[in-house]
Amino acid sequence: MTPAWSAAFVLAQAPNLGAGNVSPMTFLYVGAAIAGMALLILIATAASRRRRPSPTEAAQQVSSATFRREARRMGLTNPAADMLETLVRMCKVKQPLLVFSSASLLDDTLKKGLYSLEGTRELTEEEKENRRATIFSIKQAIERNGRTGAALRSTTFLRPGQLLTITPGEGTPYSSKVISNMKDFLTVSAPAQPAGADTRWKRGTPLAVYLWRENDAGYSFQSKVLGYDTVKGVPSVLIQHSRTLRREQRRRNRRRDIQRQCFYYPIRIVESLEGRRQKRKASVEQNMRTLGILVDLSAGGCAIQTMNPFDKGKLIMVEFEIERRAPVRTFGKVLNVHRERGRGGVMHVMFTRVTRQHLNRISEFVYDFTKPTTTGQVRQQMERTLPGRTMRPGRPPGGPGLPRGGAGSGTR
């Protein structure tokens, strides 16, 4: 008779025993039987756990099997896929596949990867720049290939907080954002001039508006000023809704308004003979430096507003600062020029050569991946972080640290 059955038998007979008929051995026997039964239960539970993986482990195995396929579908190279999988595990992301569809989760994961490189001493500066470039190539590829949503057909679907670029008539473009979306009009923040005074446009002033829709594309539409008001404590402009939006798909990379001074130089091609071969050499004409305003910037190019725009096809060098005392130098070609009567025009430049370090700084600015330095910036990044991350076991692929990799610059 097993201890479990013995204990059951004794317990069943216990009510029939009188108080004087129970011996100390009976109690000892009952106690031993109960202890044996508990031990058997513990052994059976442990054996069952060894045979069946936990739900967390099973989910990890499934996500690991599909993660690489999804990364390839998004256009990631093998080094980029390795790095993203490493970052997902480093950040303890509970649902790894969400990084391909959630822009905020992807940004949060990639930012932590960038910040972790700053404190790494075992890597050279060149290796750090290579890994930063790979991180930005991940963002670019997923943003470019993850555009599966329906196209934006009307401004009535714009959400509060959407960033805008507003150009009144043929004036200077201003940065703004949606404050509220009403049935009859759109409320956007009133752009402020450098001196701090609100820009007041007359009612009926035509507006050219541009926006970048996350995980989609850029859109432009025409509107006009309907009035002014203070909405949610913000001085705002009431502008007309539009049901005719133009989807801008010419740019492969996201652009961001910058409105900074820059200098640009013409490049002259000098031809010379070396033996029987004709050699071409680019020469920057430093004495012909021209001042302009860098209107917007992307990893593939920029737009420069100037009184003296160059002609289409001209090769130029552009110098500007994203941060103070940190100049960036790029080489490019003027793709087209939008001329404005009495105001010069806007040159649209495609970058042809940028160092990896400078390209990383451009991408860091465009995607707003700069490490926060103030309490307000830290709070904003924390508010954008998605909940639902827990500890997950597993060794990152490719050994400790981030895998090696690199990325080149795309077209504008």
Side-chain angles (χ1 to χ4, degrees):
M1 183 179 295
T2 63
W5 281 105
S6 300
F9 175 76
V10 171
L11 291 175
Q13 297 297 325
N16 299 324
L17 299 176
N21 296 330
V22 180
S23 65
M25 290 301 296
T26 302
F27 285 107
L28 182 61
Y29 186 69
V30 172
I34 294 175
M37 180 174 62
L39 181 61
L40 287 175
I41 293 174
L42 289 175
I43 294 174
T45 303
S48 176
R49 287 180 177 177
R50 290 194 188 99
R51 289 192 300 268
R52 294 184 304 172
S54 65
T56 303
E57 292 172 347
Q60 181 179 354
Q61 293 172 3
V62 172
S63 62
S64 178
T66 58
F67 190 89
R68 306 286 298 195
R69 290 197 297 270
E70 185 66 14
R72 288 194 297 269
R73 191 182 73 83
M74 288 291 176
L76 298 186
T77 62
N78 288 334
D82 290 341
M83 179 171 289
L84 182 57
E85 190 172 5
T86 298
L87 294 177
V88 163
R89 292 183 178 179
M90 285 175 52
C91 298
K92 314 300 186 295
V93 179
K94 186 177 180 181
Q95 296 177 300
L97 294 180
L98 279 181
V99 297
F100 297 111
S101 58
S102 172
S104 57
L105 178 59
L106 176 65
D107 288 353
D108 184 58
T109 303
L110 297 181
K111 285 178 184 178
K112 290 178 180 178
L114 284 175
Y115 303 161
S116 67
L117 290 174
E118 297 180 6
T120 304
R121 296 183 178 181
E122 61 269 18
L123 298 176
T124 65
E125 287 301 319
E126 182 179 359
E127 290 173 331
K128 289 181 181 180
E129 293 298 339
N130 289 340
R131 297 188 182 192
R132 291 189 183 103
T134 303
I135 289 176
F136 289 123
S137 73
I138 294 171
K139 175 63 178 177
Q140 291 168 358
I142 293 178
E143 185 173 72
R144 185 183 307 132
N145 299 319
R147 302 168 186 169
T148 57
L152 186 64
R153 301 298 182 187
S154 170
T155 57
T156 57
F157 295 101
L158 291 180
R159 297 181 179 180
Q162 171 68 56
L163 299 180
L164 306 172
T165 300
I166 299 178
T167 305
E170 296 185 357
T172 303
Y174 293 89
S175 298
S176 181
K177 68 177 180 179
V178 177
I179 301 301
S180 65
N181 195 329
M182 310 300 290
K183 179 180 179 182
D184 299 323
F185 53 83
L186 196 64
T187 304
V188 302
S189 59
Q193 293 179 344
D198 291 337
T199 302
R200 287 277 179 173
W201 301 311
K202 295 181 179 179
R203 290 187 178 182
T205 300
L207 302 175
V209 186
Y210 174 86
L211 64 96
W212 176 272
R213 193 184 184 201
E214 193 71 38
N215 288 332
D216 186 5
Y219 290 86
S220 60
F221 63 92
Q222 299 296 318
S223 183
K224 66 179 180 180
V225 176
L226 299 180
Y228 288 85
D229 199 354
T230 299
V231 180
K232 300 180 181 179
V234 179
S236 304
V237 185
L238 312 182
I239 68 174
Q240 187 180 51
H241 274 304
S242 174
R243 299 185 181 277
T244 306
L245 280 75
R246 180 180 178 183
R247 193 175 190 183
E248 306 285 352
Q249 293 185 332
R250 291 176 296 176
R251 297 176 183 264
R252 298 184 60 210
N253 303 297
R254 184 201 296 194
R255 65 178 176 178
R256 181 179 175 186
D257 295 334
I258 183 169
Q259 302 295 330
R260 304 275 176 87
Q261 287 187 348
C262 69
F263 291 101
Y264 61 94
Y265 310 75
I267 295 178
R268 181 167 53 93
I269 303 298
V270 180
E271 297 183 353
S272 60
L273 288 175
E274 292 186 0
R276 295 184 178 181
R277 295 184 178 181
Q278 190 173 24
K279 189 174 182 179
R280 294 165 57 90
K281 183 178 179 180
S283 175
V284 179
E285 301 185 79
Q286 299 283 349
N287 60 334
M288 297 185 66
R289 184 177 75 169
T290 307
L291 177 66
I293 299 296
L294 197 65
V295 178
D296 61 52
L297 182 64
S298 75
C302 64
I304 301 174
Q305 186 172 30
T306 174
M307 292 296 296
N308 301 290
F310 291 154
D311 293 333
K312 178 179 178 180
K314 184 66 176 177
L315 299 178
I316 66 173
M317 182 181 76
V318 185
E319 290 182 339
F320 56 93
E321 289 186 353
I322 296 177
E323 298 177 353
R324 295 187 63 182
R325 300 181 181 179
V328 174
R329 175 179 295 175
T330 66
F331 297 86
K333 179 180 181 180
V334 179
L335 288 182
N336 56 69
V337 180
H338 177 68
R339 298 187 181 275
E340 301 173 355
R341 183 178 302 176
R343 298 178 59 89
V346 177
M347 295 188 301
H348 297 277
V349 180
M350 178 185 70
F351 294 150
T352 56
R353 184 161 64 90
V354 188
T355 65
R356 177 153 293 175
Q357 180 184 12
H358 287 174
L359 182 60
N360 287 341
R361 285 163 61 183
I362 291 173
S363 297
E364 188 177 61
F365 168 78
V366 170
Y367 291 112
D368 195 19
F369 280 7
T370 306
K371 189 173 183 178
T373 56
T374 64
T375 304
Q377 293 174 345
V378 173
R379 186 180 300 110
Q380 289 177 358
Q381 289 202 2
M382 290 179 63
E383 290 174 353
R384 289 195 296 265
T385 302
L386 289 180
R389 272 153 290 171
T390 59
M391 297 292 290
R392 293 190 63 182
R395 181 178 63 85
L402 299 179
R404 299 176 182 267
S409 62
T411 60
R412 181 161 171 78

